Amino acid sequence: MAVVDLQDEVIRKRLLIDGDGAGDDRRINLLVKSFLKWGHGASHEEGYTQYQRMLSTLSQCEFSMGKTLLVYDMNLKEMENYEKIYKDIENSIAAAHEKIAECKKQILQAKRIRKNRQEYDALAKVIQHHPDRHETLKQLEALGKELQHLSHIKENVEDKLELRRKQFHVLLSTIHELQQTLENDEKLSEAEESQETQMETETKP
Amino acid sequence: MAPQEMDVQRALELLHMSVFSQSVSPCGKYLAAGNSYGEIGIFSLSAALSAEAKEESKKPVVCFTAHDGPVYALTSTDRQLLSASDGELKAWNWAEIVKKGCKEAWSRRPPYRSSLEVPEINSLQLNLKDNSLLLAGGDCTVHAMDLETGVFTHALRGHTDYIHCLALRDQFHECLSGSEDGSVRHWDLRTGGQVQAIEVHKYEECSRPQYGKWIRCLATDSDWMVCGGGPALTLWHLRSVTPTTVFPLAPAQHHAMFYQDLILCAGQGPTIYHLQLSGDIRARIPCSPPALHSLCLNQRSPEHKVLTAAGSSHKIDVFTNFGYRAFSLAFA
């Protein structure tokens, strides 16, 4: 059973390998047949030509064997080459993965930085709306000085006013006193006159 | 009901469905989405993103009814999915959620002043530093709940109208809340007091009286805050409380988030905007829902890092490269 399977396999493999493989097999069989014929051969010239022909077929077989050996070597070398390329590609894929991870970290960092900058900008905008502190201080100082100056003037004016009031008071009180004295004098003089007329009327009759 | 009627009913439901909230599982492979019918759908991101994804992988792996009312907020801890709806908070274990017939691990109700009203919980924020959960919603207060004991520790009162959104500043143990009354309030979580209140609509650079004064979206990033809604989307510097950049976007924005050096926001139009802090609109990405309510970025799994956007539609858009829509997951 196993022998039959093996033969099947062999036949299958043989059928698969077309081209030179089948040709070579036929050639070897032909060589063996022609050798046997040559062995049994009669005439000398025919034998010589047959011998030449056999040598040529033999060299053809050797040639094709050499070719297949070279192809086999070439395939092995190609395999090695491909293995190398495959390993290189794998390495570069791993390196690329690492680079991607690095870049992702960098992106996160950059986003954080951008966020901080924007927060700063937002606050700065708000702060810019308010006027400068130096200016406000200066304005405050100037206003304070004005206030002082004005209050100084106000004090002066008030003092003057007080003084004038007092002077007016003095003037008015003196006027009143004078009026009083004048009235008193008038009254006195009137009283004196009435006394005199009284005395005159008393002495006359 | 006959199967055809159920299909018609379901088709109608799908037509009117809105997805309000999304959350990613701790392993990063599943996305939970809560919709207006109280259902939570779990989608498998790893299946949908894989090379052999078919139509079936874009449907929910499992879809169950979690609440009676719409699921307004979802968030995930290490092991549980927390969902919030009208007045109640439920927790579901991620390990069991993918199996059918999942039951909630626990359910809580925050202490409300009056027992008559059942205010909705609009926003959940997880504070990992002290393992607590902040919830805020219709009763105008921010509740803080300790996740280990389930005890409600603080109730931060101050808002005069319901709260839309919460944001956390954990380096400072503070949280911000934006509300319908137009103010963004700053709370100190250790003392439970209000640090400051920013009346956004009073600043004329950003106020848009034609839209109203409600603040729908909030996001913080250390010293900066972005908030929008009725007033235009604005970037604020919190220390000096000044609006630094007003973004020239016409529609009102419903969700904003900081991402690397950009601000991503989405709102009433079918677009996601990529904005730079300087005020430039870097990109306008079209998406399928006509209005967007929620954006979710999957940071938990580097190979499934996608942005998902959901809104007034039963579809959830998935963006692998944030520049264009890759495909859509859909409720079935």
Side-chain angles (χ1 to χ4, degrees):
Chain A
M1 249 323 170
V3 180
V4 175
D5 284 337
L6 256 167
Q7 277 179 357
D8 278 343
E9 268 297 316
V10 170
I11 290 171
R12 214 177 287 150
K13 272 261 158 68
R14 273 205 190 149
L15 284 171
L16 279 172
I17 306 171
D18 27 310
D20 264 18
D24 270 340
D25 219 25
R26 223 189 314 125
R27 219 176 281 149
I28 290 175
N29 284 340
L30 274 172
L31 184 63
V32 171
K33 280 189 194 144
S34 49
F35 179 71
L36 289 173
K37 247 199 236 162
W38 181 67
H40 286 288
S43 61
H44 211 60
E45 308 84 31
E46 270 191 31
Y48 189 67
T49 45
Q50 271 180 351
Y51 171 68
Q52 291 297 330
R53 234 177 267 146
M54 271 199 308
L55 278 177
S56 71
T57 31
L58 191 64
S59 60
Q60 270 178 356
C61 288
E62 281 180 357
F63 178 69
S64 72
M65 191 180 90
K67 221 175 18 166
T68 37
L69 274 175
L70 281 172
V71 167
Y72 173 70
D73 274 341
M74 177 192 82
N75 282 340
L76 281 178
K77 285 215 181 95
E78 277 290 313
M79 283 277 294
E80 271 180 38
N81 197 16
Y82 281 143
E83 281 280 337
K84 195 163 76 82
I85 292 177
Y86 177 72
K87 275 203 189 93
D88 280 341
I89 290 180
E90 270 202 9
N91 285 347
S92 48
I93 284 180
H97 271 302
E98 275 180 35
K99 258 196 215 158
I100 284 180
E102 263 295 315
C103 287
K104 276 195 184 160
K105 263 189 237 161
Q106 282 182 357
I107 271 192
L108 272 181
Q109 175 75 348
K111 280 193 180 171
R112 241 178 279 150
I113 289 178
R114 172 156 58 159
K115 181 173 184 198
N116 286 341
R117 275 215 199 108
Q118 287 186 335
E119 285 178 4
Y120 173 83
D121 279 338
L123 269 179
K125 239 192 271 172
V126 172
I127 290 175
Q128 290 286 60
H129 278 302
H130 293 282
D132 204 9
R133 204 201 300 186
H134 288 294
E135 284 198 23
T136 1
L137 277 175
K138 272 192 215 150
Q139 277 183 7
L140 269 173
E141 260 187 60
L143 280 175
K145 275 197 194 127
E146 248 193 77
L147 252 177
Q148 258 190 355
H149 184 66
L150 286 174
S151 61
H152 205 66
I153 292 179
K154 180 171 157 202
E155 266 184 50
N156 286 348
V157 165
E158 272 183 358
D159 281 343
K160 238 193 236 177
L161 191 67
E162 268 303 309
L163 192 65
R164 299 278 180 276
R165 210 181 272 157
K166 280 185 191 149
Q167 287 174 342
F168 253 124
H169 192 74
V170 163
L171 182 68
L172 281 178
S173 51
T174 20
I175 288 181
H176 269 129
E177 267 189 49
L178 185 63
Q179 234 183 13
Q180 284 283 0
T181 21
L182 282 175
E183 272 177 17
N184 280 343
D185 280 344
E186 246 188 63
K187 274 194 191 145
L188 269 173
S189 59
E190 264 180 29
E192 271 185 32
E193 260 179 46
S194 64
Q195 254 194 348
E196 273 187 26
T197 46
Q198 250 195 347
M199 280 182 69
E200 267 180 35
T201 47
E202 269 183 12
T203 46
K204 267 203 178 159
Chain B
M1 253 195 285
Q4 298 107 313
E5 285 179 38
M6 289 204 55
D7 283 338
V8 169
Q9 162 121 357
R10 187 62 182 166
L12 273 175
E13 276 180 7
L14 286 177
L15 201 59
H16 294 279
M17 187 186 284
S18 282
V19 177
F20 287 124
S21 49
Q22 303 171 78
S23 180
V24 180
S25 66
C27 54
K29 296 196 188 139
Y30 294 99
L31 177 73
N35 68 13
S36 46
Y37 298 113
E39 296 168 1
I40 295 182
I42 311 287
F43 296 86
S44 166
L45 284 175
S46 44
L49 287 169
S50 68
E52 328 78 49
K54 300 157 298 213
E55 273 311 302
E56 282 306 307
S57 17
K58 302 195 182 139
K59 303 255 164 83
V61 170
V62 73
C63 181
F64 55 92
T65 309
H67 294 270
D68 294 328
V71 181
Y72 289 117
L74 283 175
T75 187
S76 285
T77 61
D78 283 344
R79 277 189 253 122
Q80 292 181 327
L81 174 69
L82 303 167
S83 64
S85 169
D86 285 330
E88 53 179 6
L89 174 69
K90 289 189 184 174
W92 314 81
N93 284 322
W94 270 109
E96 307 159 1
I97 216 170
V98 196
K99 305 176 199 147
K100 309 250 174 193
C102 169
K103 284 271 165 200
E104 70 248 26
W106 47 261
S107 150
R108 285 244 179 283
R109 289 179 158 264
Y112 294 123
R113 278 223 171 119
S114 81
S115 51
L116 292 168
E117 59 175 74
V118 184
E120 74 281 10
I121 300 176
N122 276 327
S123 169
L124 292 175
Q125 271 289 333
L126 203 55
N127 187 357
L128 294 162
K129 272 203 172 167
D130 36 329
N131 201 18
S132 69
L133 182 71
L134 296 165
L135 349 92
D139 61 339
C140 319
T141 45
V142 180
H143 294 278
M145 182 185 100
D146 186 79
L147 278 173
E148 284 217 23
T149 58
V151 170
F152 286 91
T153 44
H154 297 300
L156 311 169
R157 291 177 213 282
H159 278 293
T160 51
D161 209 342
Y162 63 91
I163 299 176
H164 278 286
C165 50
L166 282 176
L168 200 59
R169 285 177 92 194
D170 22 77
Q171 317 99 299
F172 304 101
H173 296 274
E174 289 173 350
C175 83
L176 296 151
S177 57
S179 142
E180 178 79 9
D181 66 3
S183 64
V184 172
R185 281 174 209 251
H186 211 146
W187 309 93
D188 187 330
L189 291 172
R190 280 179 286 202
T191 61
Q194 180 179 304
V195 174
Q196 55 180 334
I198 308 172
E199 303 267 349
V200 179
H201 59 106
K202 295 230 172 107
Y203 290 80
E204 24 177 284
E205 305 101 324
C206 48
S207 86
R208 295 189 292 196
Q210 71 269 32
Y211 285 130
K213 52 184 185 171
W214 41 279
I215 303 291
R216 172 73 195 265
C217 59
L218 257 187
T220 43
D221 181 38
S222 63
D223 281 335
W224 300 82
M225 165 185 90
V226 70
C227 70
L233 191 72
T234 340
L235 181 68
W236 292 75
H237 185 238
L238 279 175
R239 286 248 179 101
S240 53
V241 193
T242 45
T244 53
T245 339
V246 178
F247 296 102
L249 301 173
Q253 300 305 311
H254 291 169
H255 193 113
M257 57 199 295
F258 281 93
Y259 172 67
Q260 288 179 350
D261 62 331
L262 296 174
I263 295 175
L264 307 173
C265 67
Q268 272 173 358
T271 13
I272 295 182
Y273 294 94
H274 289 204
L275 305 163
Q276 283 194 318
L277 296 178
S278 54
D280 306 317
I281 302 179
R282 191 128 160 270
R284 291 183 189 88
I285 320 289
C287 15
S288 36
L292 289 162
H293 291 298
S294 148
L295 290 174
C296 180
L297 192 54
N298 182 2
Q299 311 253 32
R300 303 205 195 201
S301 157
E303 46 297 336
H304 303 305
K305 183 171 176 192
V306 291
L307 173 71
T308 47
S312 310
S313 156
H314 66 279
K315 291 199 182 154
I316 299 175
D317 284 345
V318 177
F319 299 80
T320 39
N321 169 346
F322 297 1
Y324 58 88
R325 183 184 75 96
F327 57 89
S328 298
L329 303 166
F331 273 89

